[in-house]
Amino acid sequence: MRILVLWDIDHTLISVNRLSRELYRAVFENLVGRSPTRLAPMAGRTERAITADTLRLHGIDPTEELVRAFTTALGRAFDEHRHELAERGRELPGARSVLTALADEPVIQSVLTGNMEQIARHKLVAFDLDGYVDLSVGAFGMDGAERPPLVRLAQTRAEAKYGERFDARSTVLIGDTPHDVLAGHEGGARVVAVATGTSDEAALRAAGAELVLPDLTDTEAVVQAVLGVTRR
């Protein structure tokens, strides 16, 4: 039985946070006609939820039409600025080593990310990490406002493509926020959490992650945690 590994992207594999915020602000101003006074919290949340809440913070009703217009414009902005991702962002320590090591195991790697698919692809391509993951079976930030249902969605997509059943015993979510931990536990996955974002190890342990690491530099620890799912 193979294992489905669902990677969070931002602050787990890479970091481009400042650019993302700049583009959100620019899109808001172009679409609404005024600068945003603040953005909704982003860490561990979906593009759909961030967009809707940012609009609400400014007294704007986040209709489906407006949210779609906003995220379409956001996708175009990332298209136009994709060359800046590698220039201004960084690949996080250990990410490539773990991706490479898992590629040699009975594992299918994909993503469960708050990014819309177009943006997720740009971010991974910018750091040459896209070849390690099968994005066709991932779940993305426009697939739903909340993350937990995205786990089952990714499992269903992987089952349809690979003809195998994936459940909580054979699915691992790797992320950096309590939202990722919640998504895994409510959605049907074990969780490896890394304190490479805004949440420290204590917060991730309190959220209930099965394994909490300071980062991804201990390749063997991550690989063993992933493979251990089927040996419990």
Side-chain angles (χ1 to χ4, degrees):
M1 181 173 62
R2 285 191 287 185
I3 298 165
L4 177 64
V5 176
L6 299 174
W7 285 96
D8 176 52
I9 295 177
D10 291 301
H11 303 294
T12 299
L13 293 173
I14 65 168
S15 178
V16 293
N17 190 50
R18 184 172 297 178
L19 178 61
S20 296
R21 288 181 173 276
E22 288 177 9
L23 295 182
Y24 255 93
R25 290 182 178 279
V27 167
F28 184 98
E29 185 169 0
N30 289 337
L31 196 64
V32 176
R34 55 189 167 99
S35 298
T37 57
R38 56 179 170 152
L39 300 176
M42 292 184 173
R45 307 183 70 227
T46 66
E47 217 88 76
R48 181 180 286 278
I50 295 165
T51 298
D53 284 354
T54 296
L55 291 169
R56 289 191 187 98
L57 286 172
H58 296 82
I60 301 168
D61 182 21
T63 64
E64 179 64 20
E65 181 180 7
L66 184 54
V67 169
R68 284 287 177 183
F70 192 107
T71 53
T72 297
L74 188 64
R76 285 198 301 267
F78 269 90
D79 284 344
E80 294 167 1
H81 292 269
R82 61 185 179 275
H83 63 282
E84 296 182 39
L85 289 167
E87 293 173 1
R88 299 178 56 186
R90 63 191 179 99
E91 177 185 316
L92 294 183
R96 187 177 302 274
S97 294
V98 174
L99 288 165
T100 301
L102 288 174
D104 292 329
E105 302 291 346
V107 165
I108 297 164
Q109 298 189 80
S110 189
V111 300
L112 191 147
T113 174
N115 293 291
M116 55 194 290
E117 183 174 358
Q118 178 182 3
I119 295 174
R121 190 177 300 275
H122 280 319
K123 289 180 177 179
L124 293 172
V125 168
F127 295 92
D128 194 28
L129 298 177
D130 56 304
Y132 295 98
V133 296
D134 183 352
L135 291 178
S136 71
V137 300
F140 303 91
M142 291 304 290
D143 286 327
E146 302 300 325
R147 290 177 87 108
L150 301 187
V151 176
R152 185 61 203 144
L153 177 60
Q155 290 169 332
T156 300
R157 288 171 173 169
E159 289 165 5
K161 180 169 182 176
Y162 293 100
E164 302 174 35
R165 173 73 177 173
F166 297 101
D167 57 21
R169 294 182 303 111
S170 57
T171 306
V172 179
L173 191 156
I174 305 178
D176 68 287
T177 73
H179 289 293
D180 295 307
V181 180
L182 179 68
H185 289 170
E186 291 192 357
R190 284 168 50 85
V191 179
V192 174
V194 288
T196 45
T198 58
S199 300
D200 61 19
E201 293 182 53
L204 296 170
R205 288 194 186 92
E210 283 81 351
L211 176 65
V212 179
L213 297 170
D215 52 36
L216 291 171
T217 56
D218 190 342
T219 302
E220 185 64 16
V222 180
V223 171
Q224 288 304 309
V226 169
L227 299 180
V229 172
T230 57
R231 295 203 294 264
R232 285 181 62 84

